[in-house]
Amino acid sequence: MEGFIKYIEIIGIIAFAISGALEGIKSKLDLLGVLVLGIITATGGGVIRDVILGIRPPLNLRFGFNIYLAIIVSMIVFLINLFDDNINRWTINKSFDQSLIYSDAIGLAVFTITGMEVAYRLHTEYSMVLYVFVGVVTGVGGGIIRDTLINAVPYILDRHVYASASIIGAIIFHLLTIYTDINRAITSTICIFIIFIIRILANKFEWNLPKATRILN
C-alpha cells in the first residue's frame, strides 16, 4: 500500500506543479516566480499537514524528492511556454484555463487522499474530523498559498465546488476505510476519482454553493 501511495503522490506533485507553474505564467512572473509557485502549490499542503500532525521536519523538506520533482516539472512548463510560440499564444485562450482546472483537480484529488493516509499511519483511532481536515488541508493548502502570492482570491473561497469536492471524497474515504474491508488501494482510487469528477463537473456545469449576494444591494 505504501508503494501505491508513493506513486499516486508523484502524480499529484506533477499535477500541482503544472498548475502552479501555469498560474505563474498566466500572472506574467519570471522564471524564479514560476518555480516558486510550482514548488509551493505541489508541496505546501503537505508541509501544512505535517505541522498539524506534529511531523518534524516536514516530510517534503526531510527527503527533498517532491521539491526536486516540482522544480523539474515547473522548469519544463516554463521552457515549453518560453520557446514555443503556439503554446505562448495558447495562454490567452480558454483552453489554457481548462488545463489549469484539470491539473488542479488531479492534484486536489490525489493529495486529499494521500494526506489522510499519512494521518492513518500515525493512528487509526482519532475522530473523523481530524482525518477529513488533514486531507482537505493537504489538498487545498498549496493552492491557497499560491493564490495569496499572486494576489488572487483562493479557489477554496469562490470557485465552483472546490473544497466541497475534497470534503465529500475525504468523508467517503474515511467511511470506507474504517467500516469496510475493501482494499485500501481500491478505496483510494475510487475516492480520488470521485473528487476529480465532482470538481470537473462543478466547473463544467458551474455548480456553486449559495452566496449571500443580496446583502450588497
Side-chain angles (χ1 to χ4, degrees):
M1 182 61 191
E2 187 171 342
F4 174 77
I5 293 300
K6 185 62 181 177
Y7 286 130
I8 63 172
E9 185 176 58
I10 289 174
I11 295 173
I13 290 290
I14 292 172
F16 261 165
I18 292 172
S19 171
L22 289 176
E23 284 286 6
I25 292 168
K26 185 178 180 181
S27 300
K28 300 180 180 180
L29 302 184
D30 62 14
L31 172 60
L32 180 59
V34 171
L35 294 180
V36 167
L37 283 194
I39 295 168
I40 286 176
T41 308
T43 64
V47 171
I48 298 173
R49 172 203 66 206
D50 292 350
V51 170
I52 293 172
L53 295 175
I55 300 174
R56 295 179 295 178
L59 297 177
N60 283 328
L61 299 178
R62 188 185 305 178
F63 300 111
F65 174 80
N66 289 345
I67 292 178
Y68 297 140
L69 180 59
I71 291 173
I72 293 170
V73 172
S74 301
M75 178 68 77
I76 291 172
V77 172
F78 180 85
L79 292 177
I80 290 174
N81 187 271
L82 181 65
F83 293 111
D84 191 321
D85 288 337
N86 291 325
I87 295 292
N88 202 23
R89 286 191 292 268
W90 171 65
T91 60
I92 65 175
N93 297 329
K94 186 177 180 179
S95 55
F96 182 79
D97 289 331
Q98 289 298 312
S99 67
L100 278 172
I101 290 166
Y102 275 89
S103 61
D104 204 65
I106 294 171
L108 174 69
V110 167
F111 280 115
T112 297
I113 302 306
T114 58
M116 295 180 72
E117 282 289 353
V118 171
Y120 287 135
R121 288 177 198 164
L122 296 179
H123 209 298
T124 58
E125 297 182 3
Y126 294 134
S127 73
M128 182 175 72
V129 173
L130 174 70
Y131 299 113
V132 172
F133 179 73
V134 167
V136 173
V137 166
T138 308
V140 306
I144 291 176
I145 301 173
R146 172 199 65 201
D147 294 340
T148 301
L149 288 176
I150 60 176
N151 199 30
V153 177
Y155 273 27
I156 188 176
L157 299 180
D158 77 334
R159 300 299 174 92
H160 306 131
V161 184
Y162 188 76
S164 304
S166 176
I167 293 170
I168 292 170
I171 291 174
I172 294 173
F173 182 65
H174 179 75
L175 295 177
L176 291 177
T177 298
I178 299 300
Y179 298 110
T180 73
D181 295 324
I182 300 174
N183 181 277
R184 283 276 272 278
I186 295 174
T187 302
S188 298
T189 303
I190 290 171
C191 293
I192 287 171
F193 184 73
I194 288 172
I195 295 170
F196 176 78
I197 290 299
I198 291 175
R199 176 70 189 111
I200 296 303
L201 291 178
N203 178 74
K204 179 177 177 61
F205 296 107
E206 298 185 351
W207 296 340
N208 289 294
L209 296 178
K211 295 182 180 180
T213 53
R214 285 188 293 177
I215 64 174
L216 300 177
N217 297 328

